[in-house]
Amino acid sequence: MSRIGKKLVDLPSGVSASVSGQTIEVKGPKGTLSFTATDDVTLTIDGETVSVKPRGSSKRARQQWGMSRTMVANLVTGVTNGFKKELELNGIGYRASLQGNILKLTLGLSHDVNFEVPSDVTVTVPKQTIIIIEGIDSQRVGQIAAEIRAWRKPEPYKGKGIKYKDEFIFRKEGKKK
């Protein structure tokens, strides 16, 4: 039995869900999201809860059971609260600025990096060294954060680079003289 899959997904007030075939669509105050489940699981709506049940007892059905339940829970969280990732820039001269929908990153390269922000995600720069990415789709928010971070991953000697706010960088000791 899947511990995650057994739990029901509660629909808060102001959120509605509809199932058609294997696709569930969730509407809330922040927008509308949908998810298409595989044929290994069954999605049902009982009043104010959504339940996910496996079809059969195959290994794949049990794998998809917990994953599908988590995806539905992420849809509900996205349309009510949204998702947020914070990035920190560490390093001398590393800074970010937002000009329209272009995120300009100065990362010690020979040129500035111009990152075009997609329309389904909002990016804010409260300080020159902090980037906040917000949106209703957790996968999109995480993907955009990963693409920005990929320009300068944090290095283990001085800790310079772009890191997630809650990320811990394992530090290494430099060469001994």
Side-chain angles (χ1 to χ4, degrees):
M1 293 288 287
S2 171
R3 293 179 191 203
I4 295 170
K6 283 190 290 189
K7 296 179 183 175
L8 299 175
V9 179
D10 294 324
L11 297 174
S13 61
V15 175
S16 63
S18 61
V19 174
S20 61
Q22 290 297 102
T23 303
I24 184 168
E25 186 174 285
V26 180
K27 294 180 183 172
K30 290 202 175 225
T32 304
L33 290 174
S34 64
F35 167 69
T36 303
T38 61
D39 292 330
D40 298 315
V41 295
T42 305
L43 301 168
T44 55
I45 299 174
D46 305 319
E48 294 297 310
T49 60
V50 178
S51 64
V52 180
K53 301 257 189 280
R55 291 182 183 166
S57 60
S58 67
K59 182 176 182 180
R60 180 166 164 76
R62 287 182 281 126
Q63 290 171 342
Q64 295 296 319
W65 183 19
M67 192 272 306
S68 298
R69 188 261 175 212
T70 302
M71 293 296 287
V72 172
N74 281 348
L75 296 182
V76 173
T77 304
V79 297
T80 54
N81 303 328
F83 292 95
K84 177 179 173 181
K85 292 265 187 188
E86 291 188 38
L87 298 173
E88 289 181 357
L89 280 71
N90 294 327
I92 296 174
Y94 286 22
R95 57 185 166 266
S97 64
L98 197 62
Q99 295 175 348
N101 71 333
I102 303 288
L103 179 68
K104 288 180 99 42
L105 300 169
T106 305
L107 301 172
L109 301 171
S110 62
H111 56 84
D112 286 351
V113 175
N114 294 327
F115 184 84
E116 190 169 338
V117 178
S119 61
D120 57 345
V121 175
T122 59
V123 174
T124 55
V125 183
K127 286 195 213 172
Q128 288 184 338
T129 58
I130 295 175
I131 302 169
I132 298 174
I133 304 151
E134 294 175 301
I136 61 172
D137 189 358
S138 67
Q139 194 275 333
R140 285 292 288 160
V141 170
Q143 183 66 38
I144 298 302
E147 288 174 10
I148 293 171
R149 183 180 181 269
W151 281 100
R152 277 283 194 201
K153 289 185 180 171
E155 53 97 14
Y157 295 101
K158 292 183 179 178
K160 291 169 56 173
I162 303 172
K163 72 178 191 84
Y164 296 109
K165 186 173 184 176
D166 54 353
E167 183 180 12
F168 178 76
I169 307 299
F170 286 100
R171 302 302 286 271
K172 291 182 178 179
E173 190 174 341
K175 285 184 181 178
K176 303 251 175 151
K177 289 195 175 189

